[in-house]
Amino acid sequence: MKLHPMIAALRRHKAGVVLIALQIALTLAIVCNAVFIIGQRIERVNRPTGLVEDNLMLVTQSWVGAPSGDQPGDVEKLDSLLQADLAALRAMPDVESVVPINSLPLLNSSWTGSVALKPGSDLRAGNARSVYYFGDEHLLKTLGLKLVAGRGFTAADVRNRGFRDSGTPAVIIVTKALADKLYPKGDALGKAIYLDGGSSPSTIIGEVERLQAPSTGSWVNGFLWNATIEPFRLNANFSRYAIRTRPGRLQAVMHAVPDVLYGVSRMRVLDDDSVKSFAQIRQEAYRSDVGMAILMGVVCLILLGVTAAGIVGLTSFWVGQRHRQIGVRRALGARKIDILHYFQMENLLISGAGALIGLGLAIGLNMLLMKHFEMDRLPVLYVLAGIVVVMALGQGAVFVPARRASNVPPVVATRSV
């Protein structure tokens, strides 16, 4: 099959050819970047937090009429209330473990700072930024964190402190990511670091494999896995309890917890959002990501559908215009398969030109998104896959009208000559 007469035929329909090629180019550029965004969102939603998320729940409650924490003795009174709650929750028959905690991964309630290898470093000049978690000796068990080196907290390590008080723990546990950043040779265990520009050292006694930051915002991407766990019970006008239930008893415990806590003290507020499973926390944290992925998917399907419809429509129009030409070729000995291949090759030329233009547009659009929306660089694999998809789409869309053209009988063409 010679290309020269085919190209000459296309030149006689420049407007249609240009429009379809541009449509394919725009579709390729948008779909490649949209699918890349979808892939990023899916990867983000599915990344593990480091917790064993099954049978895990969180209770957030506020004290009413309790000490403010600003007067002498208030902190100890708040700590007594908190410990009474812990005792009641731990006594529940379906509860395996409970820890007072300031936040959880994906909760979007963060406490951040910096850690340094030398005392007195400026807060922002530390060796690494970190998020802070506070809890007692039950933290690792309750959250299901995997200890990869050292030991967890004991009851002797744990202290209580007011929410606004500054205190430096004697011992801490860090994530492996933070330990490796501070001590790349892997010898962080037993070493001292300094928190938030302080002058008192804290000794690393343990490393956990993974613990994600509470925030899901892009501002935390640079230290997403840098976490420091301090052995403190925080005393404030609110408290949070992470609870691990026995397998299959999560819903029963979630239903029973408000009555148990009100049975300890009525000086509290527990609203409809106070008791959540970790699955609910994950769902809420990534709701916008899932919505964006669905929206991008719908946009891709619409674009591909519109492009396919455009190819079908234009090819059908050309088949109608070339009815006589097709008949003459059939009368001169062209087989059905030759007519079919002619239109497929013609579409291949148009799709190829559109794909080349779309390649440049896809890269340009990605650079624009990188500049304004902190998007990652589009991998070449996505562009190559996009080219294959639009070429296959073109061949699929042209098949029906091309097949109809191939079925034009020579006698019909002869009558029209």
Side-chain angles (χ1 to χ4, degrees):
M1 184 179 296
K2 295 181 179 179
L3 294 180
H4 178 71
M6 191 177 296
I7 294 174
L10 290 176
R11 284 178 176 172
R12 289 195 291 272
H13 303 87
K14 290 180 182 176
V17 172
V18 170
L19 285 175
I20 288 297
L22 287 178
Q23 189 173 7
I24 291 173
L26 286 173
T27 298
L28 176 63
I30 296 172
V31 168
C32 283
N33 282 280
V35 171
F36 182 48
I37 292 173
I38 293 172
Q40 284 190 315
R41 300 286 173 160
I42 291 175
E43 181 181 355
R44 173 181 158 92
V45 169
N46 291 328
R47 63 189 174 191
T49 57
L51 311 181
V52 176
E53 300 179 7
D54 293 338
N55 305 308
L56 182 63
M57 55 180 282
L58 180 72
V59 179
T60 303
Q61 60 107 45
S62 299
W63 299 111
V64 176
S68 64
D70 297 327
Q71 302 298 321
D74 282 1
V75 171
E76 297 308 319
K77 292 177 182 176
L78 287 170
D79 193 53
S80 297
L81 293 171
L82 185 143
Q83 294 207 56
D85 282 355
L86 290 175
L89 293 172
R90 286 167 181 161
M92 294 178 68
D94 292 323
V95 170
E96 286 189 348
S97 183
V98 183
V99 63
I101 198 163
N102 60 315
S103 189
L104 282 178
L106 311 184
L107 192 61
N108 282 315
S109 175
S110 301
W111 191 314
T112 63
S114 68
V115 295
L117 300 179
K118 295 182 179 179
S121 299
D122 181 77
L123 183 61
R124 294 189 179 278
N127 296 85
R129 296 193 69 185
S130 174
V131 297
Y132 295 122
Y133 289 98
F134 305 97
D136 62 14
E137 68 274 21
H138 299 279
L139 188 143
L140 298 188
K141 178 183 178 182
T142 304
L143 301 189
L145 298 178
K146 184 178 181 181
L147 191 68
V148 295
R151 65 172 179 85
F153 297 136
T154 65
D157 297 323
V158 180
R159 301 284 184 273
N160 70 294
R161 52 169 272 198
F163 186 77
R164 298 185 184 87
D165 296 341
S166 59
T168 302
V171 295
I172 55 172
I173 297 173
V174 298
T175 54
K176 191 173 189 309
L178 179 57
D180 290 344
K181 184 173 181 59
L182 296 173
Y183 294 95
K185 294 181 180 178
D187 55 347
L189 205 62
K191 299 292 179 57
I193 62 175
Y194 299 85
L195 308 179
D196 298 335
S199 57
S200 300
S202 298
T203 303
I204 299 173
I205 62 167
E207 296 177 22
V208 294
E209 183 179 44
R210 191 182 184 95
L211 180 56
Q212 187 175 339
S215 175
T216 55
S218 59
W219 64 274
V220 79
N221 286 348
F223 55 102
L224 186 64
W225 307 109
N226 294 354
T228 303
I229 306 172
E230 300 185 20
F232 283 128
R233 292 188 305 272
L234 280 186
N235 302 128
N237 56 3
F238 74 97
S239 60
R240 287 188 174 126
Y241 309 111
I243 302 174
R244 178 161 300 283
T245 70
R246 299 187 191 285
R249 302 301 299 165
L250 179 66
Q251 293 300 322
V253 174
M254 289 176 64
H255 181 72
V257 158
D259 291 339
V260 170
L261 290 178
Y262 279 125
V264 176
S265 171
R266 304 295 297 181
M267 296 184 348
R268 68 179 83 233
V269 173
L270 285 163
D271 57 27
D272 294 339
D273 292 328
S274 292
V275 182
K276 292 181 180 178
S277 66
F278 193 81
Q280 290 175 300
I281 294 173
R282 171 177 280 280
Q283 184 180 24
E284 292 173 4
Y286 289 129
R287 182 172 294 159
S288 61
D289 294 276
V290 173
M292 176 64 76
I294 293 174
L295 177 63
M296 291 289 106
V298 171
V299 169
C300 289
L301 289 176
I302 291 175
L303 277 174
L304 292 172
V306 169
T307 302
I311 294 172
V312 170
L314 187 65
T315 307
S316 298
F317 176 71
W318 284 347
V319 168
Q321 277 194 326
R322 300 177 191 177
H323 207 255
R324 178 182 174 186
Q325 177 189 348
I326 296 168
V328 170
R329 291 195 60 192
R330 292 280 285 125
L332 292 175
R335 299 169 300 171
K336 288 185 177 182
I337 194 70
D338 294 329
I339 302 298
L340 184 67
H341 285 172
Y342 176 88
F343 281 98
Q344 287 181 317
M345 182 59 72
E346 190 178 76
N347 175 265
L348 202 62
L349 290 175
I350 299 172
S351 299
L356 286 176
I357 300 171
L359 174 64
L361 289 178
I363 295 173
L365 180 59
N366 176 245
M367 293 177 67
L368 190 67
L369 293 173
M370 288 173 60
K371 181 178 180 181
H372 295 287
F373 299 101
E374 299 181 354
M375 185 174 168
D376 293 334
R377 186 178 299 280
L378 180 66
V380 176
L381 183 62
Y382 279 83
V383 182
L384 295 178
I387 291 175
V388 171
V389 168
V390 294
M391 299 292 277
L393 179 73
Q395 290 297 295
V398 81
F399 181 77
V400 173
R403 183 180 175 82
R404 191 165 61 249
S406 70
N407 287 330
V408 173
V411 63
V412 173
T414 303
R415 286 172 183 168
S416 63
V417 172

